[in-house]
Amino acid sequence: YFAHPHTETVTSAIARRRVAAAFTRVAGRSLAMAPAKWVYNFGAGGADGRSEMKNLLGGKGANLAEMAFIGLPVPPGFTVTTEVCTHFYENGQSYPEGLREQVREALA
């Protein structure tokens, strides 16, 4: 196996960028560009989530979002993501930063 030093450097740099980009993407969004979304609203003829987001919203949350999205009469509400539960147990039973504000906004 023979690798030209310049080719190896370029290839390594590209690989590092791809790995870094993969680690900053969660649920199709870039964490570097936007704060984490912990609360998804539904009802009143619309929804932030969809049925495809079952792993993030849980079964009930995803189904409520889908019903609201397709126009079924669903009372307004919100779902706190499963990521909040994971964060809670992995971080000494503490809630993630920004959750309180997002819940207050959903209740307003």
Side-chain angles (χ1 to χ4, degrees):
Y1 173 75
F2 174 77
H4 187 274
H6 176 70
T7 304
E8 187 66 29
T9 303
V10 171
T11 304
S12 296
I14 292 170
R16 280 194 302 276
R17 279 197 299 268
R18 286 182 181 161
V19 169
F23 278 108
T24 59
R25 273 187 251 119
V26 174
R29 66 183 183 274
S30 171
L31 294 177
M33 298 186 80
K37 184 172 176 74
W38 306 113
V39 176
Y40 285 73
N41 296 305
F42 59 82
D48 294 340
R50 293 297 302 270
S51 63
E52 297 85 14
M53 301 170 76
K54 187 175 181 179
N55 287 338
L56 180 66
L57 301 177
K60 290 178 187 173
N63 288 332
L64 284 165
E66 188 66 19
M67 289 188 295
F69 181 79
I70 64 172
L72 292 175
V74 176
F78 62 91
T79 301
V80 176
T81 68
T82 58
E83 291 174 341
V84 172
C85 182
T86 301
H87 182 282
F88 182 81
Y89 287 109
E90 289 180 352
N91 294 282
Q93 298 186 348
S94 67
Y95 293 107
E97 193 173 315
L99 175 64
R100 182 181 306 270
E101 292 78 17
Q102 289 181 29
V103 168
R104 281 188 181 139
E105 187 177 313
L107 290 170

